[in-house]
Amino acid sequence: MPRRKVLFVCHNHPKVRPGGAEEYAHELHRALRESPGWEPTFLARSGPPHSRSRRPHEDVHVSPVDCVDDEYFLYTDGYDFDWLYGTMRHSKELYTRHLRRFLLALRPDVVHFQHTLFIGYDAIREVRRTLPDVPIVYTLHEFLPICRNKGQMVRTMDGELCAEETPRRCSECFPEHSPQTFFLRKRFIQAQLGLVDLFVAPSRMLVERYVEWGVPRDRIVLEDYGRRALAVPAPDASRPGARDRLGFFGQMSPYKGIDVLLEAFRRHGRSPAPHARLWVHGANLDLQEHDFRDTVEQLLADTGEHVTFAGPYEPHEVGALMAAVDWVVVPSVWWENSPLVIQEAFANGRPVICSDIGGMAEKVAEGVNGLHFRTGDPDSLGETIGRAVGNEELWESLRGGIPPVHAMSDHVAVLTGAYERLVRERRGEPWPERVAALSS
Amino acid sequence: MIAASRPVAATSVHGPDEPAGDLLAGPVALGEAEELAVVGVPPDTLDRNRPRLRVEVGDIELIADGPGAREALTDLDSFVRERLAGLDAANRAQLLTALAPLTGWEGLPPALSDGLHAVREALRERRPLAVVDQRAERAVEVEALHRIADDEFYVRGWLWEQSRSVVELTAVSPEGERVELIGRAHRHPRPDVAERFCAGGHEPLGFVCHFRTAAPSRRRDGWVVELANAAGRGVETAAALSSTDPASAREGIVADAVASAGDTEALREHHVRPALTRLQELRRDAVAVDEVESHGTVPESPEVSVIVPLFERIDLLEHQLVHFADDPELWECEIVYVLDSPEERDHLSRFGGELARLYGLPFRTATLTANGGVALARNLGASLASGRRLLFLDSDVLPARPGWVGELSRSLDASPNVGAVAPKLLYEDEAVQHAGVELVRAVDAPEWSAELRMKGVHGRLPAANVGGRVPAVTGACMMTDAALYRELAGMSWIYVQGDYEDADFCMRLARTGRQCLYAPEVALYHLEGQSYPSEARAANRRYNRWLFSRSWSDVIEEMGR
C-alpha cells in the first residue's frame, strides 16, 4: 500500500532562523520520513523581513528548500501580514493561487499546521476549500490566536500575566484598537480555526486555555512534544558536593526572564551562593529592543566573573553544554507551553529551577525533579538557587525524580494514529459557535 | 438687425401682464457659439437709435444694434458704463429686473452668470456697507448661505436697526434678482448680537430664511443682502455661499435646526424641513445603481435576499463572509452588497473577487453612482433582489451561529399580520444592542422618540428575552416581505444620514395594519459604535426625531390606544 501523505505547514524553517517550535516541527518531519505508513512534506514560510533570501523565481511562491524533495519554502514576499487578524491584508492570492496550486499538485491526505504566523489563518480556509475531505490538524504552541501581544498573554502596560482575554481587556493592552475590533478579530480567527479537525496541545494549561476560549474539548488532544532519544545523556562532571554550576538556554528576550536571573545574581553580591556560577547560552539578543539590551548588558557587567555570556549555540551542541552545568534555570515571565529546554534538561539528567506558572510548573514537579520560584521575583529566585547550590542530596533526589522523556517514536505513533482515525472519520463541519449567552 | 438663431423658449424676459417688447423685446436666443443671448431693450430706456442690445456671452461681447451698430461696443463694462449707467435709478432697476431671469436657461453658462453679475454691479443702487460697530444705527450680516438647488437657497444671519422699523430685508442674487425676505424669514432672538448694540436679549435680531429665486443662480460669490428701514435708509453686506457641496449644506442647516433659540418649531417647519427635504430629494434623484458585479453564481429563485449596505469599511465584507461561508443557509440566499461609497469601487471589486475565490460563497456587489445614505442603499439593493423575503443587514452585524436566516424566516411565517421581524442584537460584551424599538415621549421636547429597548443590559436577562410584538424594530437586521416592501415604496429617504428610516418604515407597516416582531431566540452581534457619535450626528438625530414625530404622531398615538 502506498504511504499516505502528510503536509506540515510551519511559519519558519530552522535553516532560516532558529526557534523552538520550528526545530520541533522539523524534527517531527524527519522522524516521519522513516515511518512506514506516512510520507511527510514540510512547507515552511519564508521571505522578508525574517529571512535573508527572497523568492527566486517569477510568479513562484512555493519552491524546494535547497534541492530537498520533501521540503518547500512558501515565500510570502510581497504580501502584507496583518498581525491583528493574522491574515494577509491586501491580497488573498497567496492562498487562492499559490497555496492552492501546491495543494492540488501535492494532494496530501492530511494537512498538519504547525504554525500560521506570517502565513495567515486563511491558509486553513484554503485547505478546506481546495481539499474538502482532507483532515486538518493544528498544533498550538502558544496563545497567538487568543492574544495580540505575540501570543504571550502578558499585558502590554505592566508585563503582568493575563489570565483572561476579553475584547475590553485586549483593547486596554492595545488602545489603538477598539473592543469591537478585538471582537472581530476573535470571531475571524475562530471561524478559520473552526475548520480544524484536531488540535494538538503540548501542555494541559494550553488545552484548558483554548477550551475556555471556545475550542470544543473533543477537538483538542494533550500530546507533548516528542524528542529524539539521546545516544548518551550528559555525563555528570561536577566536582562532588559542589553542584554550583547553573545554565540558561534560550532566547535573550524579556519574556524568557533572563533579566530576572541576572538580577538575582547581582542582588546577592554578584552571586546568590558563594561559589555559584552561571553560563548564559542565549540567542537573539541583537533582536531585542534597545532598553532591554542595555539592561541585560549592564547586568552582565555588574555580575562580573560569576556569569559567563556564551552566546547562541547549535541544537546539536546542547548536550555537551548541559553536561557542564548542574542545574538548568527557566525563569520565563510568560506562561510558556512545554518548553523544549525542560525536555532537554531532563533528557540530560539535569534538575530544573523554574518559574512557578503555566507550562513550566506543569512540566517540572516542585521537589520531585526541580524547584519553583515566584515568577519574576529575583529574590525568590536567589533564595531558591541558594537552597540548591552545594546540596548534593537534593540534587541526587531531584535527578532521581526526572521522568523519562517523551520519545519521538511514541509521539509519531500518537500522531499517525490520529491521522488515520481522522482520515476515516473526518468531521469537516465547523464547530458550532459557543455562545452561551444566546441559549437562554 | 439681430444676429440670432434658436430662440430659448424657457426664458421669459417680460412681465406676464406686459406685451412682449414693451419692456424688453424678445427674443432671447442661442447663437452659433451656443452662448449667444440677444435681448431687445425697450426704446425708452436707451437711445432710440440703438433700440437693441446683443449680448454674446461666450466672449462677453455686448453690442448695440440698429442704426448705431457701428458704434458697437465690444467691451461689456464700457458698454454698460457708457450706455446704461447713465439711466436713472428706476430704469436701471427695471433693466436689472428684466435681465436677471436670463439665467433661466437650461445649462446656464458660467460666463452668462459672470456677465450678468458685471451688469448688476454697474447698474444697481448701492447702499452703504454695513459696519459692525456699537454705535451703528443699522447693520446686517450673513453668517451662512447655502445653495439647496439652482433656484433654492437658505440664509442665516442677523440684522440690527436702531429704529426697529425694518421694512426690507432683500437678498440680491449675483445676477441681479431681488428676493424680499422680510415677510418670510424666521426671526429669532440673538442675545450675542443684542449685547453688541445694547439691545434686549429677546429681540428677534437673528433671521433664517429658505427662499427661491425665479431664475437659477450658480455663482459662488456676489450675493448681497440689503436692509432698509421705513425712512428708506439702509445698509448692505456682501455674501458668498458658505458650502460648496450638499453634504456640508445639510450639516449646516441641521445644526441651525437644533441650535436656534426661540420658536424652533416654526423654524424647522418652514425653513429647515423644506430645505433639507429638497436636498434629500436631489440626492435621491442623483443616486442610482451604477454597476452590478457577480462573484460566483447566485442561486436562482432564492427565498431570501440578503441586502447589506457597505460604506467605506470594505474590510467588514470579509468579516461577514467568513461566517456566512460556514452556514449552509447562506449558500441558498441571494447576497447583495450595496456600495454606498463609490470611491471604493475598485477596491471592492478586487477584494470581493479574491474573497469569493477563498470562501466560494456567491454574492453580488452593486455600486451606487454617489453616496445616498442607508435608506437609499437599502432601497436600491431591494430593487435588485429576487427573493420573496428581504433581509436587511448592516455590515457591522455578525451572526453568532449558523441557522439564523431560517429562524427569522420561520418566525415571520408563523406570525400573521406581522410585517417585519428582527432578532436580538448584542454588543461584543454580550450587552443588548437591540431588543426591539419602543416609541416614547422625549424628555427634552414634545416629540416621540424611537428608543432601543433594554439597551445595555446583559443579553441573558430574562426581560430582554421576551419576544413578541413591538412598536418598531431596527433596520440593522430586519426581515420583511419583498412585495410588501415595494408596495410601501421602501424606506424613506427624507431622514438625514441614516437614522429613523427604519422606525419610519415600521410606521408605514402600522398604518397598513401590520405589526413588528421581536424574535429574541435569534441573536446576532452588532458592533455599533466603533466611534463615538460626533456632534453632527447628534444634531441629525435631533432633527430626524422631530421629523419622525411630526410625520407619525397620529399613528403612534393610535398604536398606544
Side-chain angles (χ1 to χ4, degrees), chain A residues 92 96 100 125 187 433, chain B residues 318 326 354 357-358 399-400:
Chain A
K92 305 293 179 187
T96 58
R100 184 171 298 182
R125 177 74 51 174
R187 301 268 309 162
E433 275 312 328
Chain B
E318 180 173 24
D326 291 338
E354 297 204 359
R357 264 175 77 80
L358 182 60

Side-chain angles (χ1 to χ4, degrees), chain B residues 16 24 76 85 112 226 241 283 370 472 500 538 558:
Chain B
L24 285 179
L76 178 66
L112 175 56
E226 299 173 354
L241 295 182
R283 190 181 193 194
Y500 268 95
E558 185 64 31

Side-chain angles (χ1 to χ4, degrees), chain A residues 85 87-93 95-97 100 122 125-126 129 167-168 178-181 183-185 187-188 190-192 195 430 432-440, chain B residues 313 315-316 318-319 322-323 325-326 331 350-351 354-360 398-402 424 426-428 430 458-460 465 520-521 523 525 527-530:
Chain A
Y85 291 107
T87 182
M88 290 304 176
R89 203 190 307 264
H90 299 302
S91 172
K92 305 293 179 187
E93 281 203 344
Y95 318 113
T96 58
R97 180 172 161 78
R100 184 171 298 182
D122 317 47
R125 177 74 51 174
E126 175 54 35
R129 273 276 289 152
R168 180 186 64 81
S178 67
Q180 289 86 353
T181 298
F183 182 79
L184 283 176
R185 173 189 190 275
R187 301 268 309 162
F188 174 76
Q190 281 188 338
Q192 308 294 35
L195 305 173
E433 275 312 328
R434 203 184 62 101
V435 184
L438 312 181
S439 57
S440 51
Chain B
R313 289 286 305 271
D315 61 311
L316 292 173
E318 180 173 24
H319 289 285
V322 72
H323 299 291
D326 291 338
W331 292 73
R350 193 176 44 73
F351 194 54
E354 297 204 359
L355 293 177
R357 264 175 77 80
L358 182 60
Y359 292 98
L398 297 186
R401 55 185 159 77
K424 177 162 68 179
L426 298 170
Y427 287 115
E428 78 289 345
E430 306 293 335
H458 197 283
R460 273 191 301 229
N465 290 283
E521 64 277 10
Y525 288 97
L527 305 180
E528 186 202 48
Q530 298 247 35

Side-chain angles (χ1 to χ4, degrees), chain A residues 292-320:
Chain A
F292 185 74
R293 254 159 51 194
D294 292 349
T295 304
V296 168
E297 276 158 13
Q298 187 60 49
L299 283 167
L300 285 169
D302 291 349
T303 47
E305 73 278 9
H306 290 269
V307 176
T308 304
F309 178 54
Y313 56 92
E314 291 293 317
H316 65 86
E317 298 174 309
V318 70

